[in-house]
Amino acid sequence: MALNHSYDARLVQQETAVGAGVQILLLALIGTAVGMGPVGWLTGLAFAIATWAVLSRALHRSRLRSFGAANRVTLGRATLVGGVTALVAEAFQDSPPVSLFVGLTAVALILDGVDGKVARRTGTSTPLGARFDMEVDAFLILVLSVYVSMAMGPWVLLIGGMRYVFVAAARVWPWLTAPLPPSTARKTVAALQGVLLLVAGAALLPHAVNVGVVALALGLLLWSFGRDVLWLWRTSRVGTVPVPHEVRELVAG
C-alpha cells in the first residue's frame, strides 16, 4: 500500500466493510453446505467483527488511502481463515467435511506467497501490510493447531502458541524486539508449519505417521525460534546500531 497525501476515512471504511461482508457471505455458504451450528456461526462472526475492527483502526491510524492490491489478497486470505476458524469451532461438536476444511486451508496457504509478490511488484510494501500478513499467518497456524490437537493432544498447541508467547515475552524483555537478519531457513520453517499441520489434519495418513509429521513441525519451529532468540540475546549483550521505528515495529509483531 502506498502512502497518499489525500486521506479519506470513508474509503478505509468501505474497504474493511466489504471484507466483513464477504466473510459473512462465506459463512452463509458454509452454513448452507454443511449445516453449521450456533458455535461455528458465532465464532465465524466474532472473527469477522474482530478483523474489521482491528483492521479499520490500524488503517485509520496509519492514514493509508486504501488497502491496495496486496492487502486485498491478504484480506481474501483472512476471509478463508475465518471460514476455517468456524469449521474448527464446529468440530468440537460435529466433525466438518474434511474436503471443505482442506480446501479452504489449502487455498489460504497457497495465497500466502501471492500478497508479498504483489506488494513487491507494485512497490506498495508497507509495515502495516507486512503486519497484516503476519497476523493472518499466525492465526491460521493457531487454528490448525487447535484442530490437530483434538486428535493428538494439547502438546500440538505449542506450535500455534509459540509466536504469541514470543510476543508476550518481548514485552518483558525488550531485546527480543530487535530486528532479525533475513533468513531463508526461518521463512521455510514458517511456511512448513501450515503445510505439515494440514497434512496431519486431513487424516489421510496413519495416525502414527501424522504424529511424526506434527512432531517434525514442532521440532523445526523450536529450532528456528531457539536460534533467533539466541542470536537476539547475544546481540543485546554487545549492543546494536539503532534501527528505524518502522522496522522495529514490523519485527516485533
Side-chain angles (χ1 to χ4, degrees):
M1 289 179 294
L3 291 173
N4 192 300
H5 293 296
S6 59
Y7 171 75
D8 188 342
R10 292 174 299 179
L11 293 176
V12 173
Q13 293 170 358
Q14 290 171 5
E15 297 271 12
T16 54
V18 168
V22 173
Q23 178 72 84
I24 294 174
L25 176 60
L26 176 62
L27 292 174
L29 292 174
I30 293 174
T32 301
V34 304
M36 192 162 59
V39 173
W41 266 105
L42 289 174
T43 303
L45 289 174
F47 179 89
I49 294 171
T51 301
W52 168 78
V54 173
L55 195 52
S56 295
R57 183 171 180 269
L59 283 167
H60 183 73
R61 291 180 62 184
S62 62
R63 300 187 67 80
L64 297 179
R65 183 172 179 270
S66 68
F67 278 168
N71 279 346
R72 290 191 181 98
V73 175
T74 307
L75 183 60
R77 289 180 51 234
T79 300
L80 294 173
V81 171
V84 174
T85 301
L87 288 175
V88 171
E90 189 70 14
F92 281 96
Q93 294 184 331
D94 187 22
S95 298
V98 175
S99 58
L100 180 59
F101 168 79
V102 171
L104 290 176
T105 304
V107 175
L109 291 173
I110 291 171
L111 290 177
D112 185 22
V114 175
D115 45 12
K117 291 181 179 179
V118 171
R120 288 188 293 271
R121 286 185 179 182
T122 57
T124 55
S125 299
T126 64
L128 176 60
R131 176 68 179 273
F132 184 24
D133 178 62
M134 184 190 306
E135 295 299 339
V136 173
D137 290 343
F139 193 79
L140 176 58
I141 298 303
L142 176 61
V143 171
L144 292 177
S145 298
V146 171
Y147 183 74
V148 176
S149 71
M150 296 180 192
M152 298 187 187
W155 65 273
V156 183
L157 297 175
L158 290 171
I159 296 176
M162 200 171 302
R163 189 254 174 182
Y164 295 99
V165 171
F166 181 85
V167 172
R171 296 184 180 276
V172 180
W173 298 294
W175 52 268
L176 288 172
T177 65
L180 290 162
S183 170
T184 301
R186 184 189 308 117
K187 293 179 180 179
T188 302
V189 170
L192 281 175
Q193 298 305 304
V195 175
L196 294 176
L197 285 171
L198 178 57
V199 169
L204 298 177
L205 302 174
H207 180 74
V209 176
N210 285 330
V211 171
V213 167
V214 178
L216 174 62
L218 178 58
L220 289 171
L221 195 61
L222 286 169
W223 169 79
S224 181
F225 268 95
R227 187 186 66 158
D228 287 345
V229 169
L230 181 60
W231 187 91
L232 290 169
W233 181 78
R234 287 176 174 173
T235 303
S236 70
R237 302 284 291 181
V238 299
T240 57
V241 178
V243 296
H245 173 72
E246 296 81 15
V247 176
R248 188 183 304 110
E249 183 181 50
L250 172 59
V251 176

